[in-house]
Structure formats: C-alpha cells, structure tokens
Amino acid sequence: MNSNKGPVLVIGATGQQGRATTAQLLERDWEVHAFVRDLAAPAAGALRDSGANLIEGDLDDPDSVRAAMDGAYGVFMMLTMMTGVHITPAGIEAEQRRGKAMADLAKASGIEHLVYSSLKGANENSGIEYYAAKTAIEAHIESLELPATVLRPVFFMDNFNAFNRPIVDENGELVLNLAVRADIPVSLVSVHDIGAFAAIAFDHPDDYLHRAVPLAGDRLTPPEIAETFGRVAGLPARSNQVPIEQVRAFDEQVAKMFAYFNDRPDEPIDTATLRKDHPGLHTLESWLHASNWKA
C-alpha cells in the first residue's frame, strides 16, 4: 500500500471518468488537485464541494499545466476526442497532441506515477482513427519511460444512459437499439469502476506500474443486455440491430467502432482477477441496481 497520498492531479476532472476517479481517490484519503478550465463552472464547484482542490488551466497552455504538476506525486489523465457530441478529425488530432504534451510535461516535472485512461482496442491495428490516437499516446508514454499505468476500459455501461439508452415502444416493450450483431458478446464496464481502478493503481504502484490493464465487469450479447434491462425494469425486452449505415450518418468514427465490434469480437477479459483487487466490480445488473436505473 502506498503511504504517499498525493497530491494527484486529475486531468479531465469534470468528465465522467475524472469525477469518478476524484471521488475514489478522496474516499481513499488522497489529496486531489482537479485541473479545470473554469473555476466558476458548476461541475468545478461540485468537485470543490466534494473535497478536491481546484487548479485552473488549459491543456493548450503548457505553462498552466506545468504549474499544476509542480509538486504533484501523480497524474490521472483522461482526454477526449469529442467536439460537441461528435468525434471529429480536429478532436482526434487535439487529443493526440495534448496527450503527448501532457506526457512530456509529466516527465519534465518528475511525476512518480501517471495513470492514463486509454481504451481496449488500442494497439490492435483497428483502423479506427480515434483508437490510433490513443495508441500513439500510449507509445509516447512508453518511449519516455514514464512510471505509468495504462487503463484500457471497454464499452461503458454508462452509455446506456445516453445515446444507447433502451426505450419503451408503443407496446410497452423495452427495446435496446445497438449496432452489434445478436451473436456478438460486448464487454462492458462502469465508469465508477474505471475510477476505482485508477485509485487502486495509485494505492498499489508496485502492482500496477508499467502495466496496461484491460477493464471489464461483464460480457453479454445484445439480447442478453436487453434481457438484463428488462429483468431489472420489470418489462418485456428485446434487442434490435441498428444498421451501421444509420450510425455512420450520425458519426463516422462510432460507426467504425461498431463495425470493428462485429468483425473482430473481443476476447473475454479476466474479470475474476480484477475482482480480487476490486470486489465491487459491477456486472451490468449490479450497475443498473446501483444507479437506480428506470425505463
């Protein structure tokens, strides 16, 4: 167990993963410095209220990042490729550029432990541009010989609260619309558990430094996902395969991701071993109950 309790600088602090990591670190008595663009933003205020110290800055301003890293023990880094609700070429380029710059600054600042949240699929030659950006960031971290842990989470359960939320049709049936074949199992993880493993990595550096850790808590086919939602909601349920072209009309990169899921089903992740370090690792059903999910 690490006796050093920080501070840890959380980059991407107001996002889902950043908030989850901040909460998990604070629960374990770590000092957290949350890197935010606007101190007056409601999301920043919520972090302050939770016990984090706020540091204002901009990822495109190296001086502000350097100042934020000064004196920090560790850094949690989660970056986005999103521009609004879409993944764009500009967003992908910005993520890769910022990720490499953050790694360079962490090296120069003498950061003792960098935890980078990447994704499962990095280093798999997927042909997906936003996967490639994360692969490049991982490679840059490795080239710098940074003391680092790379987390590789799979498809977020939390997506079922947003774009992939099941809907109740006119017949009272719960319908899961997902662009994945019915026979393809999808690995799932909750954002809460990504934050938990980030905190666990900081707690146990001897076990987690210089590792890439795939993260999943469940693995279900679309009909099994729908059945789980139906069971929790007390409704009949079914899955519907959305055509990839329909997804492509919304976002080219998301369409490529789902096509990749269909063409190259992922191998199961060893969740039993993950649960040894984190017994509370959610299955889809336990996440639905914990989040009080309602249809």
Side-chain angles (χ1 to χ4, degrees):
M1 176 69 76
N2 195 346
S3 60
N4 189 332
K5 287 296 183 178
V8 170
L9 178 68
V10 176
I11 292 175
T14 58
Q16 288 191 87
Q17 293 187 55
R19 294 196 307 271
T21 298
T22 295
Q24 290 292 315
L25 287 168
L26 290 170
E27 188 176 303
R28 292 165 168 81
D29 297 322
W30 282 84
E31 180 182 350
V32 177
H33 291 178
F35 193 74
V36 300
R37 284 180 294 180
D38 181 2
L39 295 174
L47 289 169
R48 182 192 295 110
D49 292 345
S50 73
N53 300 308
L54 302 188
I55 298 180
E56 190 173 31
D58 188 317
L59 294 180
D60 292 321
D61 176 6
D63 288 340
S64 71
V65 179
R66 189 178 295 108
M69 287 186 183
D70 185 32
Y73 161 78
V75 171
F76 171 79
M77 181 172 73
M78 192 281 158
L79 302 167
T80 183
M81 63 289 183
M82 304 295 292
T83 303
V85 298
H86 297 285
I87 303 173
T88 65
I92 295 168
E93 185 280 328
E95 178 181 17
Q96 182 169 326
R97 169 173 45 81
R98 290 167 181 159
K100 290 181 176 180
M102 295 307 101
D104 289 338
L105 288 166
K107 178 72 171 183
S109 299
I111 294 300
E112 294 183 52
H113 195 169
L114 170 69
V115 176
Y116 170 49
S117 183
S118 180
L119 53 71
K120 180 70 171 63
N123 293 326
E124 291 183 6
N125 297 315
S126 66
I128 305 170
E129 288 81 358
Y130 85 89
Y131 280 36
K134 295 182 187 295
T135 301
I137 294 168
E138 287 191 23
H140 192 64
I141 290 169
E142 184 175 1
S143 74
L144 294 172
E145 298 183 344
L146 274 169
T149 303
V150 174
L151 303 180
R152 290 180 178 162
V154 292
F155 191 80
F156 296 173
M157 295 175 187
D158 306 69
N159 290 337
F160 296 123
N161 279 329
F163 296 116
N164 300 110
R165 185 178 181 85
I167 60 173
V168 180
D169 68 10
E170 64 276 8
N171 299 316
E173 189 173 26
L174 196 64
V175 182
L176 171 72
N177 292 300
L178 201 61
V180 179
R181 294 199 332 250
D183 61 316
I184 298 291
V186 181
S187 294
L188 306 168
V189 71
S190 77
V191 169
H192 168 87
D193 291 325
I194 301 171
F197 272 101
I200 289 166
F202 284 119
D203 271 345
H204 300 280
D206 290 346
D207 296 329
Y208 280 85
L209 276 170
H210 309 296
R211 286 182 60 197
V213 184
L215 297 181
D218 214 338
R219 189 169 185 264
L220 303 168
T221 63
E224 289 170 336
I225 295 170
E227 191 274 331
T228 303
F229 273 93
R231 184 168 61 252
V232 171
L235 292 171
R238 62 180 173 87
S239 63
N240 172 57
Q241 184 180 348
V242 177
I244 291 292
E245 289 306 315
Q246 186 175 322
V247 180
R248 184 167 288 113
F250 171 74
D251 193 302
E252 174 71 23
Q253 290 291 306
V254 175
K256 286 185 176 183
M257 176 192 74
F258 281 119
Y260 186 63
F261 286 177
N262 286 326
D263 292 342
R264 291 178 58 181
D266 62 354
E267 293 297 319
I269 290 171
D270 184 0
T271 56
T273 296
L274 292 174
R275 283 193 170 88
K276 290 178 181 177
D277 283 354
H278 178 37
L281 180 65
H282 281 304
T283 62
L284 177 60
E285 184 161 354
S286 71
W287 174 79
L288 289 170
H289 287 297
S291 59
N292 197 29
W293 194 90
K294 303 293 183 185

